Amino acid sequence: MTGTTRILPVRTGSSRSARAEALDCILEESTTVSITKFARWKIFWRSPIGLAWMGLILSLAATLIGLQMLLTSTKSNDSSLLGMDLEAQRDYWLSTYQHLQSQNATTMLIPESPQWQALQWLVTADPLAPLQGERLVQRYALACLYFHWDGWLFSTAAAGWMDLVQQAAVSSDGMVTVVAPSEGEPVTTRSRVPLHECQWLGVTCNDQDQVVGLDFQSASFVLAGMVPTELGLLSHLTVLDCAGKSLVGTFSVALPQLQHLNLKGNRLNVFQETWGAWTNLETVNLAENRFEGTLPGSTLAQWTKLRHFDIHTMPVAGNFWQDVVPHWPLIEHIDISLTELSGTIPEVTADGPLSRLKSLYASNTPLKGTLPASLTAATGLIALQLNDITGLTPSSLPSEIGKWTKLETWGLTSPTALMGSLPTEIGLMTSLRELNVYSNRGLNGTLPTELGHLKELQILKVCYTDLSGTVPDEIGTLKKLKDVQFHQTNLVGTVPLGLCSGSLNVLAADCATLSEGIAPQMKCPLGCCDCYV
């Protein structure tokens, strides 16, 4: 104890000497002080301040070790950074690392990681170095994508990412040898490779040379595995197309400017709550992935600019029609076929959600309620497919269907969807190419002669309904018909001769003989029908 005179006790009558007693006392106190100091340091290093200091020390040590490894592994390669002496190169390496680290690029110093390889390429092999600021971050992000996906294969001489860029930089004429795979022998060509990233295959930039689009649909790009977070460094990205690849896991990249996203046909399996921040999205295709569970309605509801949504063929559930659709006032295309998305199609008002609808595909879904008559307010509708749905409540077709003058495909094959007859206003739907009301047992009445106005009609399926009467001769005047199915109905009489003289691939009717002495329900001239009992 500093500044204090210590008086050591001496025990009388003891067999031990006073010196020994004094030494024991000193050792005891020293041990207590040491333990106390250790405990205090232990508490300090576990405190937030201590952890921050430890992180700073480790970060500095990792930086120094990593940069030294970069220097050691690349000191013989000085093809880039032309005109820079060794000290200038080291300064560039350090400034590059520090700038990228400030952008949350935190794994650059793990040897052989994609981030490590990207940094190494930037500071030792990039023919456009030195770069700085946003341009440096952009080029680093693209390099990370390349190395993360193991340097994807190319099938075109217009490629030009990383290795080809480096080859072109050291080539005397800027030309490189590109080997393109083919069905026979690989094709070898000499090609000029662009050095600027805005000219690389699949990359689109704006007038400020900022990357705004990545199109990886080409077979040149072999993408598999997780999506690297460095993709989020492309802060101006508005278009991302990774359809038909093998991406797995989650997609947790922050892309606030994204407008068009196509991830169809991958293996992604987790919805992210952070997707709600993508408020500029206009088109989204998540179809044929491996998402499951409940669709995060509150997240998707924030995509208020959405026009196109496709998530077909996935076992996702949720009350889609009530929790999500009312928040999409601009929606034009919906495809939720082969999902478990449920609910009732809401009423449609002028300029409200679904009023701009052009196509709706919801086949094989647990759709409930009735098909609202107000859906005819969507006068721009081109395709309506609601096939194989068992939960609908029967309703009559309104006369307002005549407003669907642009409708080309109409499929409504639910056993319980329709009742009543086909309105004569169906003749106003002059763009119609397919009319399929297969299996609607509640559909009755006669076939309207106005069907003869549908000159573009190619497919007409009214089988397995309770339609009655005869087939109007006007249908026989439709020259583009390819598939006509009248069987398993209450239709009688003779099939129009015009159908037999046309170029039909399928013409089915109830023209088989039931038993001896009993005439078939329908007659088919020239024997041109596939006859059913």
Side-chain angles (χ1 to χ4, degrees):
M1 294 181 288
T2 304
T4 303
T5 301
R6 174 123 177 113
I7 301 175
L8 300 176
V10 178
R11 302 177 184 176
T12 59
S14 172
S15 61
R16 300 186 65 191
S17 68
R19 183 184 298 274
E21 292 282 356
L23 181 59
D24 286 344
C25 186
I26 292 172
L27 289 174
E28 180 181 351
E29 182 170 301
S30 298
T31 302
T32 302
V33 171
S34 298
I35 292 175
T36 302
K37 289 182 177 180
F38 174 76
R40 289 175 179 173
W41 277 110
K42 186 176 181 181
I43 293 172
F44 171 75
W45 287 117
R46 287 186 175 181
S47 68
I49 297 176
L51 291 174
W53 271 102
M54 184 178 294
L56 181 62
I57 293 171
L58 292 176
S59 176
L60 179 59
T63 300
L64 295 175
I65 294 172
L67 291 178
Q68 180 60 38
M69 292 175 67
L70 276 175
L71 284 169
T72 303
S73 64
T74 59
K75 62 183 179 181
S76 61
N77 183 357
D78 57 358
S79 61
S80 64
L81 308 179
L82 298 179
M84 296 174 64
D85 57 28
L86 183 58
E87 183 177 355
Q89 289 186 33
R90 288 176 176 172
D91 289 342
Y92 178 58
W93 293 336
L94 183 59
S95 64
T96 297
Y97 170 77
Q98 291 175 334
H99 183 68
L100 294 175
Q101 191 182 46
S102 70
Q103 305 297 316
N104 296 321
T106 57
T107 57
M108 292 182 293
L109 297 181
I110 299 177
E112 303 309 318
S113 68
Q115 295 79 8
W116 165 280
Q117 292 175 286
L119 176 61
Q120 187 180 46
W121 182 82
L122 280 175
V123 300
T124 64
D126 186 356
L128 299 187
L131 298 172
Q132 58 185 354
E134 186 178 58
R135 180 73 188 287
L136 175 65
V137 174
Q138 173 173 285
R139 206 157 167 91
Y140 169 75
L142 294 176
C144 282
L145 300 186
Y146 179 80
F147 289 116
H148 177 87
W149 285 313
D150 296 325
W152 43 61
L153 304 177
F154 292 105
S155 61
T156 171
W161 286 52
M162 304 307 126
D163 54 345
L164 294 183
V165 170
Q166 187 172 343
Q167 293 174 37
V170 299
S171 173
S172 59
D173 58 0
M175 303 287 283
V176 299
T177 299
V178 178
V179 179
S182 64
E183 295 182 359
E185 292 294 325
V187 178
T188 302
T189 60
R190 292 283 288 173
S191 177
R192 186 174 302 279
V193 174
L195 302 183
H196 198 292
E197 67 272 17
C198 288
Q199 297 175 309
W200 293 349
L201 180 68
V203 178
T204 301
C205 291
N206 58 20
D207 294 340
Q208 289 76 46
D209 286 339
Q210 297 163 330
V211 174
V212 294
L214 292 176
D215 184 355
F216 292 147
Q217 272 211 63
S218 168
S220 302
F221 302 103
V222 183
L223 312 185
M226 302 289 288
V227 178
T229 57
E230 285 75 18
L231 179 63
L233 295 177
L234 301 174
S235 58
H236 300 281
L237 196 66
T238 60
V239 179
L240 178 62
D241 194 333
C242 296
K245 304 304 175 182
S246 299
L247 302 179
V248 300
T250 64
F251 191 98
S252 55
V253 181
L255 296 170
Q257 301 302 319
L258 199 61
Q259 297 176 13
H260 307 282
L261 175 64
N262 188 358
L263 298 175
K264 179 182 178 181
N266 282 275
R267 302 173 187 174
L268 300 169
N269 59 12
V270 179
F271 289 108
Q272 296 291 315
E273 294 294 335
T274 55
W275 291 359
W278 298 350
T279 55
N280 289 305
L281 278 175
E282 297 180 16
T283 64
V284 175
N285 193 336
L286 304 175
E288 299 173 16
N289 275 272
R290 297 181 180 180
F291 295 109
E292 56 185 23
T294 302
L295 199 70
S298 59
T299 297
L300 272 60
Q302 298 179 60
W303 298 348
T304 56
K305 297 180 182 179
L306 201 65
R307 294 185 291 106
H308 179 115
F309 181 72
D310 191 339
I311 197 172
H312 74 264
T313 319
M314 280 192 293
V316 291
N319 193 337
F320 174 76
W321 292 103
Q322 274 63 55
D323 293 346
V324 178
V325 171
H327 301 279
W328 291 350
L330 306 179
I331 195 68
E332 297 177 357
H333 172 93
I334 296 175
D335 190 346
I336 59 171
S337 296
L338 294 167
T339 69
E340 295 300 319
L341 295 176
S342 61
T344 303
I345 297 178
E347 294 292 332
V348 182
T349 60
D351 296 325
L354 300 181
S355 63
R356 294 173 174 80
L357 198 63
K358 294 182 179 179
S359 55
L360 171 58
Y361 299 90
S363 299
N364 296 99
T365 64
L367 187 63
K368 303 294 183 181
T370 61
L371 189 66
S374 60
L375 189 58
T376 56
T379 56
L381 199 62
I382 296 174
L384 178 61
Q385 293 281 14
L386 303 175
N387 298 321
D388 299 314
I389 297 174
T390 59
L392 288 174
T393 302
S395 61
S396 300
L397 286 172
S399 60
E400 286 82 3
I401 64 170
K403 296 179 181 179
W404 285 341
T405 57
K406 298 180 180 179
L407 192 65
E408 298 178 3
T409 303
W410 185 9
L412 188 56
T413 63
S414 168
T416 61
L418 297 178
M419 64 181 183
S421 59
L422 292 173
T424 58
E425 287 80 5
I426 198 170
L428 300 175
M429 302 164 63
T430 54
S431 297
L432 203 60
R433 298 180 180 181
E434 177 182 352
L435 174 58
N436 184 3
V437 289
Y438 178 104
S439 83
N440 278 278
R441 281 300 183 185
L443 188 62
N444 52 44
T446 60
L447 287 171
T449 59
E450 286 78 7
L451 287 171
H453 298 160
L454 308 182
K455 302 302 182 182
E456 300 298 320
L457 199 63
Q458 300 177 21
I459 299 173
L460 175 61
K461 296 181 180 181
V462 295
C463 48
Y464 295 95
T465 66
D466 282 339
L467 287 168
S468 59
T470 60
V471 178
D473 289 336
E474 287 81 357
I475 293 179
T477 66
L478 302 178
K479 303 301 182 183
K480 295 185 179 182
L481 281 173
K482 301 294 182 183
D483 185 349
V484 177
Q485 299 182 26
F486 295 134
H487 61 285
Q488 299 297 311
T489 65
N490 294 323
L491 293 170
V492 296
T494 302
V495 173
L497 183 61
L499 292 177
C500 287
S501 60
S503 57
L504 284 174
N505 297 323
V506 177
L507 176 55
D510 295 322
C511 52
T513 301
L514 299 178
S515 60
E516 186 176 352
I518 300 179
Q521 186 169 314
M522 296 189 72
K523 294 181 180 180
C524 191
L526 306 179
C528 61
C529 297
D530 297 318
C531 293
Y532 285 73
V533 175

